[in-house]
Amino acid sequence: MSVKAGVIGVGYLGEHHARIYAELESVELVGVMDTSHERCAEIAGKYGCASYDDIDKLINDSDALSIVAPTPLHHEIGMTCLDLGKDILVEKPITVTVEEADELITKAEKNGLILQVGHLERFNPAVTALERYLGEPVFFESERLSPFLDRAAGVDVTLDLMIHDIDIILSLSGSHPTRVSAVGSSVLSDKIDVAKAWIDFENGVSALISAGRLSQDKTRRLKIFQRDSFLILDYQSAMIKRHYKTEKNTIMHDVIKPESKEPLMEELSDFIRCIHTRSRPVVTGIEARDALAIALDINDQLNRSIR
């Protein structure tokens, strides 16, 4: 049976949600909604679905919804969907506050509904291929740099970019964070434009996470230092470079290039699979809440130091 899907918010990313739902065989794209009626009609016409101006009607007509609206609206829209018995995928960050995230998590659990959060890098082919090469990490170092974009100027770089790497490192560390410290600054906007954070974990693992939007070029890289190997994951090329020690104590290296896949297609396919099987998503509200909590902790530290 096809899942009837709706998309709330069809800006740049929301359009891709609509496109993929229209392509998936097990999904019927019911409709889309956006505050811009012109944009909504354009996307509806492009992908052969209805254009809604009543959010309650779209929710009622759908089995599941992607919430790709601005973050301050995630909690209200998400709670409405969950109250009406609908499975939801909420784009990252899950909500504005940890308390709002907890309310969504509690509501979804109480109603037996799927709450998946759009931490897209979890579905990067290099990340999914990483598991077989992960041994005993001792240190993570990530760097995520981008040019300055007007559409992101109203969001701190911690919630726009850094939260991806926080989520990935939390998932790979195998432990809970015990201490977070950060430095950063506003440069081109009144939000945090560049930030570095150090995280210590209970198991002795540490991580240095850097994010900024002052670069001419994009950099998306994660380094993993292990007892017997050193891995460099390049998110953009979806490739892993591995340096490892042999039994003869020589250093060898190789390159792992997994099959190319579109991460958003994989993410939405996983969402639909979870709906059909009633199984746990790769990124639930709990993982998203944990990443948000650290990002907000970093924000608090930076705001106290630079304001």
Side-chain angles (χ1 to χ4, degrees):
M1 181 180 294
S2 291
V3 173
K4 295 180 178 179
V7 180
I8 300 172
V10 284
Y12 171 77
L13 184 55
E15 176 179 355
H16 289 292
H17 278 248
R19 170 181 62 81
I20 290 170
Y21 284 141
E23 293 175 2
L24 289 173
E25 291 184 0
S26 59
V27 177
E28 176 191 347
L29 178 60
V30 171
V32 296
M33 181 181 177
D34 196 272
T35 53
S36 169
H37 299 301
E38 182 179 343
R39 173 69 174 175
C40 193
E42 175 193 349
I43 300 304
K46 191 172 182 179
Y47 299 108
C49 66
S51 173
Y52 284 74
D53 56 13
D54 184 331
I55 191 169
D56 291 330
K57 190 172 189 322
L58 174 58
I59 294 171
N60 280 315
D61 289 349
S62 304
D63 300 319
L65 297 108
S66 280
I67 301 173
V68 203
T71 305
L73 300 177
H74 287 184
H75 175 260
E76 179 182 355
I77 296 173
M79 291 296 283
T80 300
C81 292
L82 295 171
D83 277 332
L84 293 173
K86 311 300 180 177
D87 297 312
I88 57 173
L89 188 152
V90 183
E91 268 303 333
K92 66 84 189 170
I94 178 172
T95 48
V96 173
T97 68
V98 172
E99 291 74 20
E100 287 181 344
D102 283 334
E103 288 184 10
L104 286 181
I105 292 165
T106 300
K107 179 68 71 172
E109 290 177 347
K110 179 181 178 181
N111 292 357
L113 296 167
I114 303 297
L115 167 57
Q116 183 167 327
V117 183
H119 282 271
L120 191 60
E121 292 288 28
R122 291 283 199 106
F123 295 88
N124 186 300
V127 173
T128 57
L130 184 63
E131 183 177 354
R132 64 178 296 190
Y133 304 102
L134 201 66
E136 297 182 36
V138 294
F139 181 60
F140 296 94
E141 183 178 3
S142 70
E143 187 177 41
R144 187 172 294 262
L145 306 176
S146 287
F148 187 82
L149 298 175
D150 288 339
R151 63 183 172 86
V155 181
D156 291 306
V157 73
T158 47
L159 295 170
D160 181 33
L161 299 179
M162 184 181 278
I163 196 168
H164 285 293
D165 301 297
I166 294 171
D167 173 61
I168 293 290
I169 290 171
L170 285 177
S171 74
L172 298 177
S173 68
S175 186
H176 298 287
T178 57
R179 184 176 69 92
V180 178
S181 56
V183 293
S185 181
S186 301
V187 180
L188 299 177
S189 73
D190 60 355
K191 297 291 185 177
I192 298 165
D193 294 315
V194 60
K196 289 182 180 290
W198 181 276
I199 304 175
D200 289 322
F201 292 89
E202 287 179 353
N203 61 359
V205 172
S206 297
L208 176 62
I209 307 177
S210 302
R213 48 191 181 205
L214 309 174
S215 174
Q216 289 186 332
D217 303 309
K218 280 188 178 182
T219 301
R220 306 279 190 273
R221 188 179 298 120
L222 173 65
K223 299 176 183 178
I224 304 171
F225 300 83
Q226 306 193 114
R227 298 293 179 188
D228 59 354
S229 64
F230 168 49
L231 308 173
I232 305 173
L233 187 154
D234 189 311
Y235 292 102
Q236 291 180 271
S237 63
M239 183 171 64
I240 302 169
K241 294 181 180 179
R242 182 173 67 126
H243 302 263
Y244 60 98
K245 185 173 65 175
T246 69
E247 293 179 355
K248 296 181 179 180
N249 285 329
T250 58
I251 302 299
M252 302 292 289
H253 65 87
D254 57 14
V255 176
I256 298 99
K257 181 67 175 176
E259 179 185 354
S260 179
K261 295 180 180 179
E262 182 185 359
L264 187 59
M265 174 68 80
E266 296 301 301
E267 181 180 72
L268 296 185
S269 296
D270 182 62
F271 179 47
I272 299 303
R273 178 189 62 79
C274 290
I275 291 170
H276 281 301
T277 61
R278 310 314 297 172
S279 54
R280 190 181 192 277
V282 171
V283 184
T284 69
I286 294 171
E287 287 84 16
R289 185 268 317 277
D290 291 345
L292 175 66
I294 290 181
L296 292 178
D297 184 359
I298 293 167
N299 274 10
D300 287 343
Q301 293 185 41
L302 296 184
N303 285 327
R304 287 197 300 270
S305 66
I306 66 179
R307 299 295 186 238

